[in-house]
Amino acid sequence: MSEPRTARLVAAERFADSRLMRFQMNDGSPLAFRGGQYLIVDTGLSLPDGKRRKRAFSVLSPDSDLHEFELAVRHIDNGLGSEWMLALELGAELRFSGPWGKLSAPERGDVGPAWVLATDSGLTAALGLVRAQSFQPHLARTRFIWWAPCPQYFLCTDLFRACLPPCQEASFDTLPEIGSAQRLLDVDARLRDLATQGLPSRVYVIGDGHVATRAREHLLALGMESSAIQSESFFHHTVRKASPTQAA
């Protein structure tokens, strides 16, 4: 179990209903995170059963600097965790555990193409992944796709492109709202179109768990190995794990 650690908020920037926040480690020692991982933040608030309200937030910043890190927070209606994070003032202390998460860059000898498919707020983990030092040799063969309900969703497409390192191809496209019956139908069509252009050697699907499940079914049916598909669900979790899991 990861020991609790603390950091202080040193900078913050607003983007519509979201906030990009930079923290600095309090004890001066590095936070040994890997691109694509997340932290479990202890808000200090209580759940109805008396347990502490904890929420997961993906590290957005590159892992080249381990003494500071960035988290992005989107306002969620009636989301006490996100409201608490959005209200933090400069200099405030953040208590957390981690890093957690199993997303990892392709092996050094893997020279095939990769797809990174991010939906909704899964953008943060996807950006953290491709900004990792270990992912840099693969960027020229990486197609990065972000699907969200609108260009202003979460951190907006301008910040998306500002944070994304140069890769083979990057795109944004709107996807029907979460919970819409049309959402997975659109995903089916897009996956079929992508597959006509040839399959990659590795795929990452991050964000909506229903989209991740659908993508895995398509890719397995087309002959991809299960080990070549990595996913991280922010919501619509299809499998509950004993270890901490990502949350929106």
Side-chain angles (χ1 to χ4, degrees):
M1 193 70 178
S2 175
E3 291 294 324
R5 302 190 67 181
T6 60
R8 61 185 178 87
L9 180 62
V10 296
E13 187 174 359
R14 288 277 184 176
F15 293 89
D17 63 350
S18 305
R19 194 182 191 198
L20 180 62
M21 312 168 74
R22 175 165 285 273
F23 296 88
Q24 187 175 77
M25 297 299 296
N26 272 342
D27 59 10
S29 61
L31 174 65
F33 72 91
R34 183 182 68 246
Q37 290 189 303
Y38 58 93
L39 308 177
I40 302 291
V41 171
D42 183 353
T43 67
L45 303 173
S46 296
L47 293 166
D49 62 4
K51 294 182 179 179
R52 299 289 281 260
R53 185 180 293 272
K54 298 181 180 182
R55 290 293 181 266
F57 297 94
S58 295
V59 180
L60 175 64
S61 49
D63 55 14
S64 54
D65 181 358
L66 300 181
H67 291 86
E68 294 189 349
F69 59 90
E70 288 181 339
L71 303 179
V73 182
R74 177 175 178 266
H75 177 264
I76 300 175
D77 290 338
N78 300 315
L80 297 182
S82 65
E83 291 178 357
W84 183 86
M85 288 286 287
L86 292 170
L88 281 182
E89 298 182 353
L90 292 180
E93 184 176 273
L94 186 79
R95 183 179 175 85
F96 64 91
S97 66
W100 306 101
K102 297 181 179 180
L103 292 177
S104 60
E107 297 292 334
R108 186 179 296 273
D110 187 342
V111 297
W115 294 352
V116 179
L117 308 178
T119 78
D120 314 294
S121 54
L123 175 66
T124 52
L127 284 174
L129 173 68
V130 299
R131 297 175 88 183
Q133 296 184 85
S134 58
F135 210 102
Q136 304 313 297
H138 308 280
L139 288 173
R141 300 180 297 276
T142 297
R143 172 180 287 184
F144 192 109
I145 299 172
W146 180 33
W147 294 330
C150 69
Q152 292 75 38
Y153 187 90
F154 199 16
L155 297 178
C156 77
T157 53
D158 287 343
L159 185 61
F160 155 52
R161 296 189 182 281
C163 291
L164 184 67
C167 55
Q168 179 186 30
E169 183 180 341
S171 64
F172 166 82
D173 199 3
T174 57
L175 193 65
E177 292 285 344
I178 298 168
S180 164
Q182 187 62 37
R183 172 170 268 233
L184 290 184
L185 295 178
D186 279 23
V187 168
D188 287 340
R190 294 176 195 190
L191 289 170
R192 285 194 295 268
D193 182 61
L194 285 169
T196 63
Q197 303 170 45
L199 290 176
S201 62
R202 188 161 298 276
V203 175
Y204 302 84
V205 193
I206 307 169
D208 186 342
H210 289 172
V211 172
T213 298
R214 188 63 62 96
R216 178 176 290 274
E217 291 171 351
H218 271 265
L219 295 169
L220 291 176
L222 291 171
M224 283 196 71
E225 295 291 334
S226 179
S227 60
I229 307 168
Q230 294 188 38
S231 62
E232 189 78 81
S233 298
F234 278 44
F235 54 94
H236 291 156
H237 301 274
T238 54
V239 177
R240 292 292 181 180
K241 302 178 182 179
S243 59
T245 53
Q246 182 72 26

